[in-house]
Amino acid sequence: MLLEIKNLSVYYGVIQALKGISFSVDRGEIVALIGANGAGKTTTLHTISGLIEPKAGEILFNGDNITKVPGHKRVGMGIAQVPEGRRVFRDMTVEENLKMGAYSRTDKDHSDTMSRIFDRFPRLKERRTQVSGTLSGGEQQMLAMGRALMSKPDILLLDEPSMGLSPILVNEVFDIIRSVHEDGTTVLLVEQNAKKALNIADRAYVLETGAIITSGDAEELLNDDAIRKAYLGE
Amino acid sequence: MMSFLTSLVNGLSLGSIYAIIALGYTMVYGIAKMLNFAHGDFIMVGCYIIFVFSSSLGLPPVLAILLAVVLCTILGVTTERVAYRPLRNAASPLAVLITAIGVSYFLENMALLIFGADTKSFTSVVPWSGLSLFNGELVIQGITVVTICISLLILAVLQLFVHKTREGQAMLAVSQDRGAAMLMGIDVNKTITLTFAIGSALAAVAGALLASAYPSLTPYTGAMPGIKAFVAAVLGGIGSIPGAMIGGLVLGIIEILSRTYISSQLADAIVFGILVIVLIVRPAGILGKNIQEKV
């Protein structure tokens, strides 16, 4: 297992956001975490990245217990996140943002990775000297993804990559996720757009108020009546 | 005409000192997102350290300043670690603000305890008497020249540091989005510690220049310049390094010109009055940015 979550419990003050959830992501998979607003999806990703400390439970990465490893060190270990709302560095240019993405790398020359990212996101190449705050929402999403890829992660955590984007851009973003995955990056995807997520994923877990209520092959979940009713709006 | 030029130069000099202090304020605010109200008192501590090593123990001024820089850096980093960091994620941002005021009183009272309330006379760290221009009609003191040069040098070095080094880029990233910075692998704690180190070192330098230009030293020496430098930082656009410089210079010049041409009693009122006007007209300051969220 590349990533294993065991009995993870997270609290915000007295409110329990995650109620001892367990799940795993194998190398080479795309795993989706779906669920409604407030189900605990973002909290899960934040805890994996070390932005939040869990009250109980374990996070294993490549078999190592990283629960106590400071968040900033987890990036160098191979965990990168594209956070919800993109969170690009608004006052920095596109290129500076990408360079920040390579901050954790110990090798000095990142030009290879950057040119590969520019191949994948031609728009970013066109706008490399533009200040990121002036990019459109879709471009910012591309930048946030490119920035995360600059660290050459083993696993990419994506938090609501389709949020606030037009349907065409949503398709584009999902195509990119697929191609990143084909290049060998494992993906853990958090989405409210359950249909899109299940279409791209190998497996999925359904979160509801801090607990995993169902899990299984994405295709099975797509055909599950209860899931269709609750999350696919059918 | 010459008296105007003299005032202008004196204003530039005082403004340069405000600018150096304001740089510390603005960097700490920009990166740690807190107002370190004890910053002015770090200046006072720096002054006393130089006073002890230079005036009392007879060390060369440069060495005394270096010691003050080192000790103030340690003081700043320790204060952050002990008093501010534990409150960084407190429910209310007021917790750390009030703590900073507490640290300010603590330092002032420590100085009172050690050195007493009486005014110490400080020997200028710049022995050079200065420039005499226009057949002696315009005299620019050595400390004035040195102050202006040092502040420009500090600004240039800081700009280079922030924009050209890895640590500087980490500071920019933390100032824009702390969480996203951590997701890049940046050690946020270390970055904030470094910021306090730089701010406190600058406070020591400002102390040396301030006490050389205005050589009476008391435990409250740092308080007023500290507040005015805060005003300068807000005036220039808090969080902005060039803003702190511009804000400091503008404030210094206004203060000295008011003192010369209007009234020395009213000078401070004018300075703070200008802050009020600027905040009404341009709430983000001269170089500050109004942040608009893009959806």
Side-chain angles (χ1 to χ4, degrees):
Chain A
M1 279 302 155
L2 182 62
L3 179 70
E4 225 177 326
I5 308 298
K6 288 182 178 170
N7 300 314
L8 204 63
S9 285
V10 174
Y11 285 78
Y12 295 116
V14 292
I15 299 157
Q16 190 170 12
L18 291 180
K19 299 167 182 167
I21 64 166
S22 300
F23 67 94
S24 60
V25 182
D26 215 347
R27 194 175 283 279
E29 277 189 307
I30 299 185
V31 172
L33 272 181
I34 58 174
N37 243 343
K41 307 187 297 294
T42 296
T43 303
T44 306
L45 290 198
H46 278 190
T47 314
I48 296 170
S49 281
L51 283 164
I52 304 174
E53 252 180 73
K55 193 138 211 170
E58 283 181 353
I59 304 165
L60 301 179
F61 186 65
N62 270 326
D64 299 324
N65 187 342
I66 60 161
T67 320
K68 299 280 173 216
V69 174
H72 63 93
K73 289 196 177 144
R74 297 184 196 181
V75 189
M77 298 173 87
I79 303 176
Q81 185 181 153
V82 182
E84 185 179 359
R86 335 264 206 220
R87 293 173 76 168
V88 297
F89 299 112
R90 313 176 54 86
D91 296 341
M92 294 186 193
T93 64
V94 167
E95 206 164 346
E96 284 167 341
N97 263 281
L98 291 176
K99 281 184 184 154
M100 287 313 312
Y103 186 88
S104 64
R105 280 170 60 174
T106 44
D107 51 340
K108 286 277 165 269
D109 188 19
H110 313 133
S111 51
D112 249 30
T113 325
M114 194 168 312
S115 63
R116 241 174 297 144
I117 284 165
F118 281 145
D119 289 344
R120 185 165 274 143
F121 306 99
R123 283 301 281 277
L124 295 185
K125 189 174 189 175
E126 282 167 34
R127 297 178 181 248
R128 62 200 292 171
T129 56
Q130 193 173 324
V131 174
S132 310
T134 62
L135 297 176
S136 73
E139 288 162 348
Q140 287 190 4
Q141 185 62 48
M142 306 289 171
L143 179 56
M145 289 169 77
R147 186 180 65 173
L149 289 172
M150 283 297 287
S151 68
K152 293 215 240 173
D154 292 325
I155 186 166
L156 188 64
L157 315 178
L158 290 148
D159 197 349
E160 306 274 8
S162 74
M163 197 167 69
L165 301 184
S166 71
I168 295 169
L169 277 170
V170 172
N171 286 338
E172 204 176 312
V173 163
F174 275 88
D175 285 345
I176 290 162
I177 297 171
R178 200 171 274 129
S179 91
V180 166
H181 171 248
E182 277 163 9
D183 287 354
T185 310
T186 306
V187 174
L188 175 58
L189 172 67
V190 153
E191 260 295 343
Q192 277 197 59
N193 189 336
K195 194 169 194 172
K196 280 275 171 206
L198 290 174
N199 266 317
I200 195 177
D202 299 307
R203 292 187 300 117
Y205 295 87
V206 181
L207 264 178
E208 208 174 277
T209 56
I212 290 172
I213 52 158
T214 321
S215 64
D217 281 348
E219 216 176 313
E220 280 170 30
L221 290 175
L222 261 178
N223 296 318
D224 184 301
D225 276 347
I227 299 292
R228 292 180 81 96
K229 229 177 206 149
Y231 297 102
L232 305 177
E234 289 173 19
Chain B
M1 185 57 198
M2 282 307 148
S3 90
F4 176 75
L5 273 183
T6 306
S7 298
L8 199 63
V9 171
N10 287 340
L12 271 177
S13 167
L14 180 64
S16 299
I17 296 173
Y18 287 157
I20 299 171
I21 310 169
L23 283 169
Y25 252 117
T26 223
M27 285 181 76
V28 165
Y29 176 82
I31 292 150
K33 296 285 177 277
M34 69 161 288
L35 290 170
N36 179 19
F37 274 122
H39 191 65
D41 299 292
F42 290 3
I43 301 166
M44 174 273 296
V45 172
C47 290
Y48 274 109
I49 293 168
I50 297 166
F51 173 77
V52 167
F53 284 116
S54 173
S55 302
S56 304
L57 298 175
L59 286 184
V62 174
L63 196 60
I65 294 172
L66 276 179
L67 281 166
V69 166
V70 171
L71 292 173
C72 276
T73 304
I74 295 171
L75 174 70
V77 169
T78 311
T79 306
E80 192 276 325
R81 185 71 194 81
V82 174
Y84 301 155
R85 192 183 297 180
L87 294 169
R88 200 178 292 156
N89 297 318
S92 162
L94 286 177
V96 72
L97 193 75
I98 289 163
T99 306
I101 295 170
V103 170
S104 166
Y105 280 113
F106 175 79
L107 293 175
E108 285 171 10
N109 285 294
M110 281 299 284
L112 205 56
L113 200 66
I114 298 170
F115 298 101
D118 56 320
T119 306
K120 304 269 189 280
S121 77
F122 191 93
T123 321
S124 173
V125 292
V126 180
W128 175 42
S129 63
L131 299 168
S132 182
L133 303 171
F134 305 109
N135 298 323
E137 282 189 60
L138 179 64
V139 177
I140 304 175
Q141 286 186 306
I143 182 67
T144 307
V145 177
V146 170
T147 300
I148 295 170
C149 291
I150 285 184
S151 71
L152 291 174
L153 183 73
I154 287 174
L155 177 71
V157 169
L158 271 186
Q159 283 289 68
L160 277 177
F161 174 78
V162 166
H163 292 283
K164 298 288 172 209
T165 68
R166 192 176 145 79
E167 289 74 19
Q169 288 291 303
M171 283 182 170
L172 284 181
V174 172
S175 75
Q176 288 174 44
D177 187 331
R178 196 182 285 175
M182 199 221 74
L183 291 177
M184 302 299 110
I186 293 166
D187 187 339
V188 173
N189 280 332
K190 213 176 88 188
T191 305
I192 290 177
T193 299
L194 180 64
T195 310
F196 268 87
I198 293 173
S200 314
L202 291 181
V205 173
L209 299 170
L210 182 75
S212 297
Y214 303 87
S216 54
L217 180 54
T218 76
Y220 309 107
T221 291
M224 200 55 176
I227 289 175
K228 290 207 188 122
F230 171 57
V231 173
V234 173
L235 197 68
I238 193 142
S240 157
I241 289 176
M245 193 71 197
I246 291 172
L249 291 178
V250 167
L251 204 72
I253 291 169
I254 291 171
E255 183 177 333
I256 298 288
L257 290 182
S258 316
R259 221 172 254 175
T260 314
Y261 293 106
I262 302 172
S263 145
S264 50
Q265 279 90 359
L266 275 179
D268 285 351
I270 292 168
V271 164
F272 289 107
I274 282 167
L275 173 73
V276 172
I277 293 167
V278 168
L279 287 183
I280 291 170
V281 179
R282 231 186 121 72
I286 299 169
L287 293 185
K289 268 168 279 189
N290 282 312
I291 293 165
Q292 284 168 343
E293 282 305 316
K294 185 157 199 158
V295 189

